[in-house]
Amino acid sequence: MKTLSAKVGAIAPSATIEISDRAARMRAGGIDVIALSIGEPDFDTPAHITEACIDALRRGETHYAPSPGIPALRQAIAEKLATENGIPCTAGQVVVGCGAKSSVYETCEAVLNPGDEVILMDPSWVSYEPCVQLAGATAVHYMVREEDFQPDDRLLEAVTDKSKMIVINSPSNPSGAVMTKASLGLVKDVAEDHDLIVMSDEIYEKLIYDREHLSIAAMGDMHERTVTINGFSKAYAMTGWRVGYAAGPDAIIRQMIKVQQHTMSHTATFAMFGALAALTGDQTPVEEMRREFDRRRRFVMETLAGMGLHAAPADGAFYAYVKVEGDDMAVASRWLDEAHVAVTPGTAFGTPGWLRLSYAASMERLDEALGRIRALDG
Ligand SMILES: Cc1ncc(COP(=O)(O)O)c(C=O)c1O
């Protein structure tokens, strides 16, 4: 066989694989492993959304759709972005993808050339760097301030004459930090001064606690250089549906649509009708899920503090980001082997020395998991 793609070959396997494979083997062997490594809500999709999808299937919405998405959904997304987020946006500036992940990938393909640099703010979500690499560009890592997980002036040190794009993610996976207006202002200044495109991943927007979600594209003229990424997976417990979206300047969206037309075409037509119902229907389930996450968050953060463990702010998403002594991979490994609790090592997000605990699990399981971890050193 001839040599396979060097570009794909260069992508490092995820640092989470070893732990998750081992957890799966233990579970298959009958061990009660508590997975706090999960990145998805443990709720079912609200019934009215599922019903809308079933209705669409029954109506025969089983054919190809326009590649950028069904018009009604693009329109509803544009209206949501304009009214809720204050982002000037038309339906034509929206492309519906197969989950936010495909929107992240398409943004990279649409914007980047080999040799370009993309600034990632660590700790950062595991798929940004591979998407940047698949587009032939290079990720440059900048670690946010450890005290509050906000960016500071050191961000400027990451900018070079090759910088093309900067990625922000608020609320953040994995840290749970929510960017303040001042932090967004800093990114805005850097982007404007150095002519950078901003990719703002706002997928956890609805899961926010005692803080306000702000969209950078709503600040001044930033919509002219920002691609806003969002989706349905987290807010509406629709991870398996694979519906996300990007909204941004016409030129970038046109490029993204070309990528989508020639690769995935579009997400499932009937799934888009479910997403439309999610956006336009009753929002009560979103608030109910948020409140339940908040209850668990308080419990987890209090328990961790009681155990003498320091965690990042946890103002959004459903993760506690915990500082540990020594090698995070080794600690995660020990927690799995001895406490049968699976967590994600911070190395996967570019910040060794931390562990990500997802609180997308029932209170009983969280209580049990934290009790097992406490017992390890007690
Ligand atoms: C920060 C972030 N962005 C994007 C995604 C992708 O979400 P989707 O299921 O819509 O592809 C995730 C999922 O874990 C995420 O954590």
Side-chain angles (χ1 to χ4, degrees):
M1 206 194 300
K2 292 200 175 169
T3 316
L4 302 183
S5 159
K7 197 167 66 174
V8 177
I11 293 172
S14 165
T16 61
I17 281 179
E18 197 212 318
I19 299 280
S20 58
D21 282 359
R22 196 143 28 108
R25 279 199 300 277
M26 287 167 73
R27 226 177 276 119
I31 297 173
D32 174 29
V33 175
I34 305 180
L36 301 190
S37 45
I38 306 290
E40 65 173 330
D42 55 321
F43 300 101
D44 290 330
T45 303
H48 71 278
I49 299 174
T50 311
E51 288 305 326
C53 175
I54 294 168
D55 284 351
L57 277 165
R58 291 220 169 93
R59 275 200 316 273
E61 302 284 6
T62 54
H63 299 271
Y64 285 135
S67 184
I70 55 170
L73 181 57
R74 291 175 84 194
Q75 181 62 38
I77 291 168
E79 279 168 21
K80 177 249 182 260
L81 291 172
T83 55
E84 273 186 27
N85 303 85
I87 302 174
C89 180
T90 63
Q93 291 170 321
V94 172
V95 54
V96 179
C98 304
K101 190 178 279 187
S102 79
S103 302
V104 167
Y105 170 70
E106 285 173 6
T107 304
C108 293
E109 287 287 13
V111 160
L112 302 172
N113 287 311
D116 288 343
E117 291 179 354
V118 177
I119 302 171
L120 300 183
M121 292 201 198
D122 285 343
S124 61
W125 181 50
V126 292
S127 293
Y128 297 135
E129 179 155 10
C131 288
V132 167
Q133 288 175 302
L134 286 171
T138 307
V140 172
H141 293 268
Y142 153 76
M143 170 67 200
V144 294
R145 201 163 50 200
E146 197 175 298
E147 305 93 85
D148 56 1
F149 283 74
Q150 299 292 324
D152 57 15
D153 289 341
R154 287 176 303 113
L155 177 59
L156 274 170
E157 292 165 19
V159 180
T160 73
D161 55 5
K162 295 189 184 137
S163 304
K164 177 70 124 349
M165 185 163 84
I166 179 163
V167 179
I168 61 174
N169 170 219
S170 177
S172 156
N173 172 11
S175 76
V178 171
M179 287 178 79
T180 61
K181 195 170 182 184
S183 296
L184 293 173
L186 170 69
V187 174
K188 174 178 184 287
D189 289 347
V190 171
E192 287 176 343
D193 290 350
H194 299 273
D195 192 18
L196 304 180
I197 290 162
V198 175
M199 177 162 71
S200 177
D201 180 349
E202 305 182 13
I203 187 107
Y204 291 97
E205 163 198 36
K206 299 282 179 188
L207 301 176
I208 191 161
Y209 318 103
D210 311 324
R211 291 281 185 283
E212 191 192 358
H213 174 73
L214 298 169
S215 295
I216 197 165
M219 298 170 86
D221 292 333
M222 284 300 286
H223 62 280
E224 292 173 5
R225 59 172 69 250
T226 303
V227 178
T228 303
I229 307 280
N230 208 326
F232 297 83
S233 290
K234 318 289 177 174
Y236 299 95
M238 290 172 66
T239 46
W241 291 64
R242 310 313 301 136
V243 196
Y245 57 88
D250 293 311
I252 299 180
I253 295 297
R254 268 199 304 274
Q255 297 263 94
M256 291 176 71
I257 292 173
K258 276 199 269 178
V259 176
Q260 184 151 297
Q261 272 169 348
H262 293 296
T263 53
M264 53 209 76
S265 291
H266 55 78
T267 195
T269 305
F270 41 87
M272 288 194 264
F273 282 94
L276 178 62
L279 266 195
T280 55
D282 182 14
Q283 300 298 304
T284 318
V286 180
E287 178 56 14
E288 282 169 359
M289 285 189 269
R290 193 196 68 82
R291 278 214 212 106
E292 177 57 19
F293 278 130
D294 191 16
R295 202 168 74 91
R296 297 170 184 180
R297 174 184 78 104
R298 288 170 198 275
F299 169 72
V300 168
M301 296 302 278
E302 274 163 29
T303 310
L304 291 170
M307 291 160 68
L309 289 170
H310 169 71
D315 291 326
F318 41 71
Y319 308 106
Y321 208 48
V322 182
K323 195 162 173 67
V324 288
E325 294 286 327
D327 177 10
D328 54 308
M329 302 286 272
V331 178
S333 195
R334 177 162 178 250
W335 286 13
L336 180 60
D337 288 338
E338 297 176 26
H340 301 163
V341 176
V343 298
T344 310
T347 297
F349 309 103
T351 48
W354 294 79
L355 294 177
R356 189 193 74 174
L357 280 69
S358 161
Y359 47 86
S362 70
M363 280 295 240
E364 294 68 33
R365 294 298 270 173
L366 289 169
D367 191 23
E368 167 76 21
L370 293 169
R372 289 186 196 175
I373 294 165
R374 193 190 294 110
L376 274 185
D377 297 312

